[in-house]
Structure formats: C-alpha cells, structure tokens
Amino acid sequence: MSVEHVNYLQPKTLQELQKGLKSLTEKSALLAGGTDLMVSIREKKPQIDTYLSLCNINEMKSITEIDGWIRIGAMVTHTEAALNNKIKTFFSALSMACDHVGSPQIRNKGTIGGNIMNANPAGDVLPCIMLFNGEFEIFNSEGSLRRISVNEFLSESGKTTLNKNELLMAIWLPIKPDKKSCFVKLGSRTEVTIAQISFCLSWKRINDEYLDIEAYIGAIDNKPLKIDEINEILGNRPFETESLDALSTFLSNKIRDIRINRKRESKLKIYEHEKLYKERAVKGVVYDAISFMKY
Amino acid sequence: MKLNFILNGENMNIDVPGERRLLDFIREDLHLTGTKEGCSVGECGACTVILNNKAIHSCMTVVGQLEGGELITIEGLEKNGELDAIQKSFIKKSAIQCGFCTSGMVMTAKALLFSNPHPTDEEIKKAISGNLCRCSGYKEIKESIKDAAYNSNKEES
Ligand SMILES: Cc1cc2nc3c(=O)[nH]c(=O)nc-3n(C[C@H](O)[C@H](O)[C@H](O)COP(=O)(O)OP(=O)(O)OC[C@H]3O[C@@H](n4cnc5c(N)ncnc54)[C@H](O)[C@@H]3O)c2cc1C
Ligand code: FES
Ligand code: FES
C-alpha cells in the first residue's frame, strides 16, 4: 500500500464524522471491520485517497431497545450480535446467522453494517433484516439522519442506493414478542462457509396452530427473495412430508427459473452438473428450517 | 497518525500511517516475526493476534484500528521466561509439525480460553474452525487446547 497522499481519518464524534464524510471522493473508502474491504483492496489494488474508519463512533456500536424497536449500530460485530440477549430472544434468525458468518476471527471484526453495505447476494444478514421488516438509519455529510425501508435502501439489482457522502448508521428491527424465527444456511462445509442457499423463517404459534409464516431465501438471486406463497403451501401442517415436499419443489422450480432466465453467465467456474446443485439441495434446507418450528 | 496502544503489556506511543496493514506493522516495523502470513485474505488464520481479548486476523486489520486497544502477539505469551500453558501443552502433545500454523493456532486458543475457560470439544472445534493446519494435526491440536484448559483451571483452583 502506498503511504503517500493517503489520509486516514478515524473520527470520534458525529461532527467529526460529518466533516470526514464531506471530504470523501470517488477514490475514498469507508472502513468498518475491513474483512471485505481488505480482501478487495488486495485483489484490485485501487488507489485510495482517504480511509474513513468508523471504529470509534459510539453511536454505531451499541444495541438498544427504543419504543418497541431494537436499534443495532452498524459497527456491531457478528460476535456481539450473536451473543446479545435481546437479539437472541426477539430475532433468533439474526443471532443464528451472525453465529455462523465466517470464522471466529471474521465474526470478531466483521460488522452487521459492513455485511449489509457489501450487499453480496450470499451475505447472511440482509435476508434476516428483510424477514423482520427492518429499517435502515442513514447519516449524511450534512449531519442529518433518515430512516428508510428496504425498498428504498436496495435497488432492483440488489445494490445499495446510498451515495458517497452517506453511511449506514444503524438498523432498526420492530419487536414482535409472539413471533419466533430461525436461519439455516447450506454451504460447502459446516463452518467457515459462504452460503449456497440461505433460508430464514418466522412464524407465530398459538397452541398447535402456525400462523403468519414468513420466509426469505438468499444466495439464489441478486437479492433475497420473499416466499409469498409459504402459508398457502404449508397450510396448517408444516411438518407433514407432503407439505415439506411441496415447498421444496416450489423453491426448486424457482431456483431453476432464475438459472434459466439469468442473462449473465455465473462468475464461478462450475461444471454443468454443479449448476443444478441448488435445485436439488434446497430440499434439505427446507427440512432443516421447518424442523425449528417444533421448538 | 499518533497511535496509543498496549503491546504485549507495554504502553506504545508511535507515529505510523493509520492504513498500514497490522501484519506488516508487526513483522516489519516491530520485528515480531512470530506472527505468520499465509493466505493474506482471512482464510487460514496463520496471522491471528489478540486485540482486546479477541482473536482477529492481522492481515485484515489496519494499524489505526488498534487505537486505545490492547494487542497481544505470540511473543507476549511467555512470562518471565516461562511459556504459556497452551504453548506447553502444544509441545507436550506434539501438536506441532512444520509449525507454520502454530502461532495463529495458539493465539486463537488463548482467546478462546479468555472468554471460555472450560470449553467443550465442540466449542474447541468451532473456535479453531478458521485456523488451517496443512500438516493436519488437528487431533493433537484439539487435545492440547483441552489439556491447557484443564491445567490452567487446576492452577487457579
Ligand atoms: C474468510 C471470510 C469468510 C467470510 N464468511 C462470510 C459468511 O459466512 N457470511 C457472510 O455474510 N459474509 C462472510 N464474509 C464477508 C464479510 O466478512 C462480512 O460481510 C462482514 O460482515 C463485512 O463487514 P466488515 O465490517 O468487515 O466490512 P468492511 O470490509 O469494513 O466493509 C465492507 C464494505 O461496506 C462499506 N461499509 C462498511 N460499513 C459501512 C457503513 N456503516 N456505511 C456505509 N458503508 C459501509 C465499506 O466501505 C466496504 O465497501 C467472509 C469474509 C471472509 C474474508
Ligand atoms: S494470513 Fe491472515 S488469515 Fe491467512
Ligand atoms: S503444523 Fe504445519 S501447518 Fe500446522
């Protein structure tokens, strides 16, 4: 890395942060944990003029409960999110997802905000935020804050809509105490694995009835996909083989359609039979995820 | 930038570019070469150090992120000429072959025992999931960590 003409800013207050944001150019980089950024710098070797490091902004590091919402600062690490009792209680899917991002070293450094802003289709956090109908708190170089929905935050192609003088300050999740949730990911190994398919699910259980089931499937398209039909498919018998197979077939067809309609060839160098892997493997993901509804 | 942090128990006050990669700073500026560089992209764990009691990759960290923190490298484990319990267990159980993964593995184990002094076999396996050993001595490595936990707990009680 060249030492010349590089600014390294590490603001401690929102005023300093605002000033820092104002000074950014197209060549600048916001630095959270660095677990994505350091890899891309190493691969692409861009000339960076300014690093704006977010690690000292207290407003971005806390998890708080406010008026029926949980506010999670963008600089909260995966380790902190996975261990947090409020997240465990009200948003198990997010806690489960964060508990399996990368390795312990990645979780100790990688942040919720960095994961969301990277907007990788295989990222584990965004499907959960969408499942819980979360909102995104955005801070800009004028020092103002606004909260936006996922539809405003993500473009059609799955990219984030923020400009270079804005950043993600926090995410807000509405607490629904009667809803339970879970997250399952399929990767090429059990630990330290990028999702081939991620699946998150929430439901309400009243006696033996399951209501209001919601689900998102990730890593199969450029952004997480809502499964609108899930209540209809599972009906009131989510554990019966017939229902599970119906959901598996439905998702398998969906993945196949996405594959067939994809205009751009996958960047991954994979064999023909590997392309069909997700369509077949989604059944295991469905069986795993639905089994969590028993508890 | 002017940087204040604690390195292996000693206060440091250094002027260094904030964006310098921590791994290069440790090896090239501080001449602490116990920390190894393997993959350089967060996959192998050879570069693991402990920052504020947590295992992190020094290849994915910049020096500015140390500010006000406490850094421990493999050189900081030995106290008054005596090796740490984990290092002793690695030797006792022959958990070292070529040794390239060893300092990262030991630092990961040390961070595990900071937060969880009585890890189960499953917890040990998960803790070292980001540390690769190409000589494939995982069995001995896991046994060493268990042994070190047992010995540290015995000393404390
Ligand atoms: C070995 C390895 C394994 C991994 N495994 C997984 C995995 O299993 N699942 C998974 O989802 N990801 C995984 N990742 C990817 C990565 O670790 C995570 O996405 C992590 O959460 C990124 O967070 P960070 O704080 O390190 O982001 P950084 O690298 O600091 O930033 C990522 C990008 O987001 C921008 N950014 C960061 N914070 C903000 C903010 N608050 N506002 C605006 N922009 C911002 C940065 O400018 C940068 O472009 C893995 C990475 C590695 C190297
Ligand atoms: S060198 Fe840092 S993880 Fe491999
Ligand atoms: S001992 Fe050789 S890599 Fe682990």
Side-chain angles (χ1 to χ4, degrees):
Chain A
M1 239 179 281
S2 152
V3 177
E4 275 169 78
H5 313 302
V6 179
N7 287 318
Y8 184 86
L9 308 174
Q10 197 156 272
K12 290 197 172 75
T13 65
L14 291 183
Q15 284 84 350
E16 287 169 11
L17 177 62
Q18 183 188 343
K19 225 172 104 191
L21 273 177
K22 242 185 200 150
S23 73
L24 300 188
T25 72
E26 295 301 335
K27 288 183 174 174
S28 309
L30 285 174
L31 173 68
T35 62
D36 273 318
L37 191 70
M38 297 290 279
V39 175
S40 74
I41 289 176
R42 194 159 181 93
E43 283 169 1
K44 300 184 192 134
K45 303 194 171 44
Q47 277 296 319
I48 292 179
D49 60 1
T50 303
Y51 288 82
L52 180 57
S53 160
L54 305 172
C55 69
N56 280 339
I57 305 289
N58 283 333
E59 286 81 351
M60 299 180 78
K61 295 202 282 192
S62 55
I63 303 173
T64 37
E65 185 175 340
I66 306 168
D67 298 334
W69 294 71
I70 298 281
R71 179 188 183 276
I72 306 173
M75 288 299 290
V76 166
T77 63
H78 296 293
T79 300
E80 289 160 350
L83 291 176
N84 182 271
N85 277 332
K86 288 200 165 106
I87 298 180
K88 264 192 204 164
T89 308
F90 299 121
F91 308 106
S92 324
L94 180 61
S95 169
M96 290 165 87
C98 292
D99 193 40
H100 281 95
V101 167
S103 57
Q105 290 95 323
I106 294 286
R107 293 193 285 276
N108 286 339
K109 205 115 186 306
T111 63
I112 299 272
N115 192 292
I116 294 173
M117 287 306 297
N118 209 38
N120 185 316
D124 293 331
V125 173
L126 201 51
C128 302
I129 308 300
M130 291 170 81
L131 176 74
F132 298 123
N133 236 320
E135 294 182 359
F136 301 78
E137 181 184 317
I138 311 298
F139 181 78
N140 69 15
S141 55
E142 301 306 314
S144 71
L145 284 172
R146 64 194 169 106
R147 251 164 80 174
I148 57 177
S149 69
V150 72
N151 291 334
E152 294 163 273
F153 179 76
L154 272 192
S155 71
E156 265 309 302
S157 62
K159 297 265 177 329
T160 65
T161 56
L162 304 198
N163 69 44
K164 71 173 164 47
N165 300 115
E166 292 182 313
L167 59 74
L168 177 64
M169 185 68 107
I171 52 164
W172 291 73
L173 304 178
I175 298 173
K176 295 184 180 152
D178 52 353
K179 271 207 124 174
K180 295 201 179 315
S181 63
C182 69
F183 173 91
V184 167
K185 108 167 144 181
L186 171 78
S188 50
R189 45 184 180 171
T190 49
E191 298 288 339
V192 202
T193 193
I194 300 288
Q196 298 281 346
I197 299 177
S198 62
F199 191 81
C200 55
L201 186 72
S202 70
W203 65 91
K204 232 183 245 175
R205 180 175 174 177
I206 300 174
N207 301 321
D208 274 338
E209 246 190 288
Y210 290 87
L211 306 166
D212 203 7
I213 306 174
E214 290 175 86
Y216 276 82
I217 182 164
I220 62 163
D221 205 353
N222 53 20
K223 60 180 174 180
L225 214 70
K226 185 167 198 231
I227 308 164
D228 287 316
E229 299 81 353
I230 193 156
N231 281 289
E232 212 177 293
I233 297 172
L234 292 179
N236 219 344
R237 299 155 186 226
F239 306 119
E240 285 185 14
T241 311
E242 239 170 71
S243 316
L244 292 167
D245 286 350
L247 181 59
S248 309
T249 307
F250 176 81
L251 291 176
S252 178
N253 290 340
K254 224 171 187 134
I255 299 171
R256 187 200 56 206
D257 292 345
I258 292 168
R259 174 173 58 79
I260 292 171
N261 293 323
R262 186 170 290 133
K263 294 194 186 77
R264 196 170 39 81
E265 257 304 292
S266 168
K267 279 188 207 146
L268 300 173
K269 288 197 185 69
I270 50 177
Y271 294 108
E272 207 50 41
H273 63 271
E274 286 174 309
K275 287 187 186 160
L276 307 178
Y277 166 65
K278 293 189 187 189
E279 284 151 53
R280 293 168 183 164
V282 72
K283 186 169 179 178
V285 176
V286 165
Y287 270 71
D288 277 357
I290 302 293
S291 72
F292 280 102
M293 289 171 70
K294 291 184 183 158
Y295 311 112
Chain B
M1 69 185 280
K2 291 245 181 300
L3 191 73
N4 280 299
F5 69 103
I6 299 171
L7 170 69
N8 297 331
E10 276 184 37
N11 279 315
M12 302 287 281
N13 199 327
I14 293 188
D15 208 346
V16 58
E19 74 281 5
R20 181 143 172 81
R21 199 171 64 139
L22 179 59
L23 179 59
D24 300 329
F25 175 68
I26 293 172
R27 289 182 54 89
E28 292 167 15
D29 301 359
L30 301 175
H31 305 294
L32 297 173
T33 52
T35 304
K36 302 297 179 215
E37 176 159 19
C39 66
S40 322
V41 288
E43 298 275 356
C44 76
C47 67
T48 303
V49 294
I50 298 179
L51 181 60
N52 301 329
N53 286 351
K54 293 206 171 83
I56 59 153
H57 292 130
S58 58
C59 73
M60 309 234 95
T61 303
V62 298
V63 174
Q65 293 172 320
L66 292 181
E67 199 185 5
E70 182 172 1
L71 178 71
I72 310 175
T73 66
I74 187 77
E75 290 85 355
L77 292 194
E78 182 190 312
K79 291 274 155 10
N80 305 320
E82 194 177 336
L83 293 180
D84 185 88
I86 298 171
Q87 293 169 305
K88 286 185 195 164
S89 295
F90 266 63
I91 296 168
K92 187 169 102 193
K93 300 270 175 189
S94 303
I96 306 163
Q97 290 181 50
C98 79
F100 201 80
C101 70
T102 308
S103 58
M105 209 55 102
V106 168
M107 295 315 279
T108 301
K110 184 76 187 167
L112 168 69
L113 299 189
F114 274 147
S115 66
N116 179 2
H118 306 276
T120 62
D121 291 353
E122 259 322 291
E123 285 164 343
I124 292 175
K125 201 170 145 197
K126 193 172 173 195
I128 61 165
S129 60
N131 291 77
L132 302 183
C133 173
R134 288 297 83 171
C135 304
S136 203
Y138 292 112
K139 183 167 155 273
E140 291 77 12
I141 290 169
K142 285 185 273 187
E143 278 170 10
S144 313
I145 298 173
K146 219 170 155 175
D147 181 67
Y150 177 78
N151 291 332
S152 311
N153 295 330
K154 210 169 54 181
E155 266 168 37
E156 261 158 42
S157 60

